[in-house]
Amino acid sequence: MSINSFFFILFSVLMCISSIFSLLSKKMIYTLLWAMVVFLMVAGLFLLLGAKYNSIVQFLIYVITIPVLVGVSIMLIKQNSEKRIIMLNSFWKIIGVAILVILIGEFFSLNKDVFEIVKACFVFVNPYSDLDSFAQNILERYPILLLEFGLGLIITVIGLSNHES
Amino acid sequence: MSHNILNCITTYYYQIDAILLFFVGLLGVVFSRNLIKILLSIEFMFNAINLIFVSFSSYISNNSYLGYTVVIFSTAISALVLAVGLYFTNILNQKFGTIDVNKIYSKYKEINKC
């Protein structure tokens, strides 16, 4: 199994599992956390496909800004006051996560070419995926679209801030 | 040399992955009653479509960058959709006191009857 395929399987399996968990979890904050994992894995798949810029944008928007937005709205929404249950099995959960981390670390340490795996994330088959040329391409070919979307964002922000409910 | 299907991951597999994610998002939109979950499921669907665009674009790779550019704008649109949707969610919560779609609908019907 090559490195690319290993990462593809890792990302895709984690993506599918966490997307199902995000729908099944009852607490909203867990839904958000699983959704963050899904978005992160999609960013990884973009990276594997050679779309560096899209991966960075995906990470910045979906993994950083959107969780903040959704988290604030979850805080604003009044949820039914649930009594805090002291979780006795939280200790075992922490131990389980620690064992998982150790196992993953062992896997990477036993493998001889650890640095090659890390390097493989940044080496792509597609030669036309340079950041500079992509940004230049957007600015040269689609400048009006870029302006339109910027205007749309500004109008939305102004409209949301001026609305009096 | 033994033929192993895992040695040659092509764009085909990425598209299957994207279709799976799209259907999970669709199931979330159809079956979940929580408004925030519905919005996040819509985001899953957006992500699946973005993945399909990027996979096709990397498959063609004729220096056009069309797919990548579409994905950038699609991301902006999805962020807009989520922001506006969360705003309406908060308004509905203030008005009806819940974000359950069925309860909101029943309360809306009660108000309109009176």
Side-chain angles (χ1 to χ4, degrees):
Chain A
M1 193 191 292
S2 65
I3 296 160
N4 247 345
S5 55
F6 168 73
F7 275 106
F8 170 75
I9 290 162
L10 184 76
F11 290 154
S12 57
V13 168
L14 272 175
M15 189 186 78
C16 291
I17 290 169
S18 53
S19 64
I20 291 162
F21 276 148
S22 77
L23 293 182
L24 292 178
S25 56
K26 286 180 182 174
K27 280 192 176 179
M28 288 309 302
I29 198 75
Y30 291 144
T31 304
L32 180 63
L33 288 173
W34 284 117
M36 273 173 72
V37 176
V38 174
F39 299 143
L40 195 67
M41 293 304 121
V42 172
L45 286 174
F46 283 169
L47 205 65
L48 284 179
L49 279 166
K52 279 182 208 171
Y53 193 78
N54 290 339
S55 173
I56 292 164
V57 168
Q58 174 88 9
F59 185 78
L60 287 176
I61 289 180
Y62 280 106
V63 188
I64 296 174
T65 58
I66 281 180
V68 172
L69 203 68
V70 179
V72 168
S73 63
I74 287 169
M75 280 159 62
L76 286 173
I77 289 163
K78 272 186 181 177
Q79 287 183 330
N80 296 326
S81 56
E82 293 170 359
K83 287 179 182 176
R84 282 190 178 180
I85 303 161
I86 300 163
M87 294 173 81
L88 289 170
N89 54 354
S90 62
F91 176 71
W92 295 109
K93 275 182 186 172
I94 292 164
I95 284 178
V97 171
I99 288 167
L100 196 72
V101 169
I102 289 163
L103 280 174
I104 292 166
E106 283 292 318
F107 173 75
F108 278 108
S109 61
L110 286 173
N111 209 338
K112 284 179 184 175
D113 43 12
V114 184
F115 294 109
E116 286 186 9
I117 290 170
V118 178
K119 273 182 192 174
C121 297
F122 303 99
V123 176
F124 303 104
V125 181
N126 191 357
Y128 305 112
S129 62
D130 296 321
L131 276 176
D132 295 339
S133 53
F134 179 67
Q136 207 172 13
N137 184 59
I138 282 187
L139 289 173
E140 281 177 358
R141 288 194 184 180
Y142 314 102
I144 296 165
L145 260 178
L146 200 69
L147 282 173
E148 278 179 4
F149 277 91
L151 273 175
L153 281 167
I154 289 167
I155 289 164
T156 316
V157 169
I158 291 168
L160 290 181
S161 59
N162 282 341
H163 188 268
E164 291 174 1
S165 59
Chain B
M1 185 181 168
S2 62
H3 177 71
N4 191 357
I5 201 163
L6 294 174
N7 284 330
C8 49
I9 297 286
T10 56
T11 52
Y12 180 69
Y13 295 99
Y14 286 92
Q15 284 150 23
I16 289 170
D17 217 357
I19 288 163
L20 278 173
L21 187 62
F22 186 86
F23 274 103
V24 171
L26 198 67
L27 284 173
V29 169
V30 172
F31 288 110
S32 64
R33 292 177 298 171
N34 197 325
L35 266 170
I36 291 175
K37 266 187 190 178
I38 291 170
L39 283 171
L40 283 173
S41 308
I42 291 168
E43 293 300 312
F44 289 166
M45 288 158 76
F46 266 113
N47 268 292
I49 291 160
N50 289 351
L51 196 58
I52 286 179
F53 268 115
V54 170
S55 67
F56 274 118
S57 190
S58 68
Y59 174 68
I60 296 167
S61 72
N62 58 354
N63 210 1
S64 74
Y65 295 108
L66 183 62
Y68 299 154
T69 313
V70 166
V71 168
I72 295 287
F73 294 129
S74 165
T75 310
I77 288 175
S78 66
L80 273 177
V81 167
L82 190 78
V84 176
L86 286 173
Y87 176 69
F88 283 120
T89 309
N90 277 328
I91 285 178
L92 286 171
N93 184 46
Q94 283 174 8
K95 203 168 186 179
F96 296 104
T98 180
I99 52 167
D100 196 315
V101 180
N102 294 340
K103 286 179 185 172
I104 287 171
Y105 185 62
S106 60
K107 282 184 180 178
Y108 178 77
K109 274 167 70 177
E110 282 174 12
I111 290 165
N112 277 358
K113 273 179 185 175
C114 300

